[in-house]
Amino acid sequence: MNETQYQGTVAMTDLSAHHVTLPLRASETDLGVIVDATGADIITIDVNNTRPDDQVRALALIFADAINFAGTPAPPHHVEIRVAQLEAILAAEEARSEELLKRLDKAREGKEPDFCYDPDEWEFTSDWEDRDQVHGHGEALHSGKVMQVATLIRGPRKWVAEVPVTWTEAGDPDETEIRWFDSEEAALAAFVAPASEGSDA
């Protein structure tokens, strides 16, 4: 066994000891997350959300393949086996990329996004149908402020705010409700009291 094969065996042993099952792969739902063969989260790339989405996705694929390679010792004198493994990985990634492109096209057509998250404090990603989880069902919303919400995959940004729905005679907010908006301007406009009927002199 040569040095490369030995290192690969050690890597596989260490990962198994920590309950990590190869092969690793980039998550199809959580951008930048690498999961193992059981679907368990292993690594998160760019936790501070400073890199472009395309770069994060590419890094996740590169790291997953590098770990898979290190953890899979190549049989001596059987290069064709490794080539077949890489071709299988490539085919799987191409299939996933095709699905991602379909979802990207869907988002660009103006349809609803599939997922959303808080770009300032990305702790988890929520299904769009359960999007109120992003703001803790109102706990993270503050009076007079609008919260920006990022959507996946490259879906349109959304804004959410707890806005007044009724006003006092003095023009102050009374009852409020949580509403979602397609633009920050529309969200901010919801904080403005409607003009009273007959106010034009």
Side-chain angles (χ1 to χ4, degrees):
M1 178 179 293
N2 61 35
E3 183 179 356
T4 301
Q5 292 169 326
Y6 173 75
Q7 291 174 345
T9 302
V10 171
M12 179 180 288
T13 302
D14 290 346
L15 288 173
S16 299
H18 293 288
H19 308 289
V20 176
T21 304
L22 295 178
L24 304 187
R25 60 181 175 82
S27 171
E28 298 176 6
T29 57
D30 296 332
L31 179 67
V33 176
I34 297 175
V35 299
D36 71 357
T38 68
D41 291 4
I42 303 300
I43 303 170
T44 301
I45 308 297
D46 190 34
V47 293
N48 294 323
N49 197 30
T50 58
R51 296 176 180 271
D53 288 357
D54 289 345
Q55 190 177 98
V56 173
R57 187 176 298 107
L59 288 173
L61 294 174
I62 292 169
F63 292 160
D65 190 42
I67 294 172
N68 290 335
F69 179 81
T72 308
H77 312 301
H78 288 83
V79 177
E80 64 275 8
I81 296 179
R82 183 55 187 164
V83 171
Q85 291 175 338
L86 291 174
E87 288 177 344
I89 292 173
L90 178 60
E93 295 302 335
E94 287 178 343
R96 278 194 285 269
S97 297
E98 183 178 355
E99 177 61 25
L100 291 175
L101 288 173
K102 289 180 181 178
R103 291 161 64 185
L104 175 59
D105 289 340
K106 176 182 176 181
R108 285 176 171 171
E109 289 173 1
K111 297 179 181 179
E112 296 292 2
D114 295 317
F115 309 97
C116 60
Y117 63 93
D118 180 354
D120 295 326
E121 297 183 10
W122 187 10
E123 297 181 359
F124 65 94
T125 300
S126 173
D127 289 336
W128 181 245
E129 289 75 11
D130 300 321
R131 56 188 177 274
D132 286 322
Q133 292 179 357
V134 172
H135 55 73
H137 296 279
E139 292 185 4
L141 300 179
H142 304 285
S143 178
K145 294 185 177 180
V146 176
M147 176 181 178
Q148 182 180 207
V149 177
T151 59
L152 296 177
I153 297 171
R154 287 189 177 179
R157 290 286 173 103
K158 299 286 184 175
W159 285 259
V160 60
E162 187 170 3
V163 301
V165 292
T166 61
W167 305 79
T168 65
E169 293 183 358
D172 297 321
D174 187 9
E175 297 179 347
T176 61
E177 71 176 19
I178 297 170
R179 288 184 180 177
W180 289 79
F181 302 88
D182 292 331
S183 69
E184 185 176 14
E185 292 75 12
L188 292 172
F191 288 109
V192 180
S196 301
E197 293 183 4
S199 57
D200 296 335

